[in-house]
Amino acid sequence: MAQRPIFIAVIGAGNEAPESALNAAEEVGRLLAERGATVVCGGLNGVMEAVSRGARQAGGRTIGVLPGDDHEAANEWIDIPIPTGLGYARNAVVVKTGDAVIAIAGAFGTLSEIGHALGDGIPVVGLDTWSLARNGQADESMLQASTPLEAVESALEAAKQRAYSQST
């Protein structure tokens, strides 16, 4: 039986994405595609569009989990648009689809996705995104990366470890 591809969910800033986040997301998409991973995102603009563009330009596959009902709402770089009609509730679907998650910049929607992923035991790698604290102490649940390459390598390794631990 053929091994299924690794799915990496990439979450982050939409309309308000700074240029640095867009550049990082495009590089993350390219690196994931070069390593054979399928990119999952929210399918719209900002980080979602940049990561999709990077992945597709490198020959990768992209899935966009859309908040509305219209396939056509997906950015032009999405191979497989999945309209959910769930609005922000689709955030849980985005991260549940990933074997690991990379968070790039982002607002409160990104924070909710980080929470959903960590709550479900899905590894999250942060790249210039939220930091977490609990009871006044830093929470180290989210792995931190300082470059797109480090984020991709950490996410792929975490996804492989997670898959191994689920199969044993």
Side-chain angles (χ1 to χ4, degrees), residues 11-18 21-22 44-49 104-107 110:
I11 60 176
N15 290 329
E16 75 287 350
L22 298 176
L44 299 176
N45 52 19
V47 163
M48 298 168 279
E49 183 172 13
I104 303 172
T110 304

Side-chain angles (χ1 to χ4, degrees), residues 67-94:
D69 295 322
D70 183 8
H71 286 89
E72 300 303 316
N75 71 64
E76 67 180 294
W77 305 101
I78 294 295
D79 289 310
I80 303 169
I82 302 173
T84 65
L86 296 172
Y88 284 116
R90 70 93 150 72
N91 290 354
V93 177
V94 171

Side-chain angles (χ1 to χ4, degrees), residues 93-115:
V93 177
V94 171
V95 298
K96 289 291 281 187
T97 305
D99 297 306
V101 176
I102 297 174
I104 303 172
F108 292 118
T110 304
L111 181 59
S112 78
E113 288 169 307
I114 291 168

Side-chain angles (χ1 to χ4, degrees), residues 21-148:
L22 298 176
N23 292 336
E26 189 166 342
E27 179 73 1
V28 163
R30 181 184 67 77
L31 292 167
L32 287 169
E34 288 173 353
R35 287 155 177 78
T38 297
V39 170
V40 180
C41 68
L44 299 176
N45 52 19
V47 163
M48 298 168 279
E49 183 172 13
V51 73
S52 300
R53 180 175 49 250
R56 283 280 305 283
Q57 288 179 340
R61 175 169 246 170
T62 60
I63 298 171
V65 181
L66 304 168
D69 295 322
D70 183 8
H71 286 89
E72 300 303 316
N75 71 64
E76 67 180 294
W77 305 101
I78 294 295
D79 289 310
I80 303 169
I82 302 173
T84 65
L86 296 172
Y88 284 116
R90 70 93 150 72
N91 290 354
V93 177
V94 171
V95 298
K96 289 291 281 187
T97 305
D99 297 306
V101 176
I102 297 174
I104 303 172
F108 292 118
T110 304
L111 181 59
S112 78
E113 288 169 307
I114 291 168
H116 284 300
L118 293 175
D120 284 339
I122 301 167
V124 178
V125 178
L127 181 60
D128 237 356
T129 192
W130 293 87
S131 58
L132 305 176
R134 188 183 308 207
N135 299 323
Q137 302 294 316
D139 183 309
E140 305 297 327
S141 300
M142 184 169 49
L143 305 167
Q144 295 296 326
S146 54
T147 67

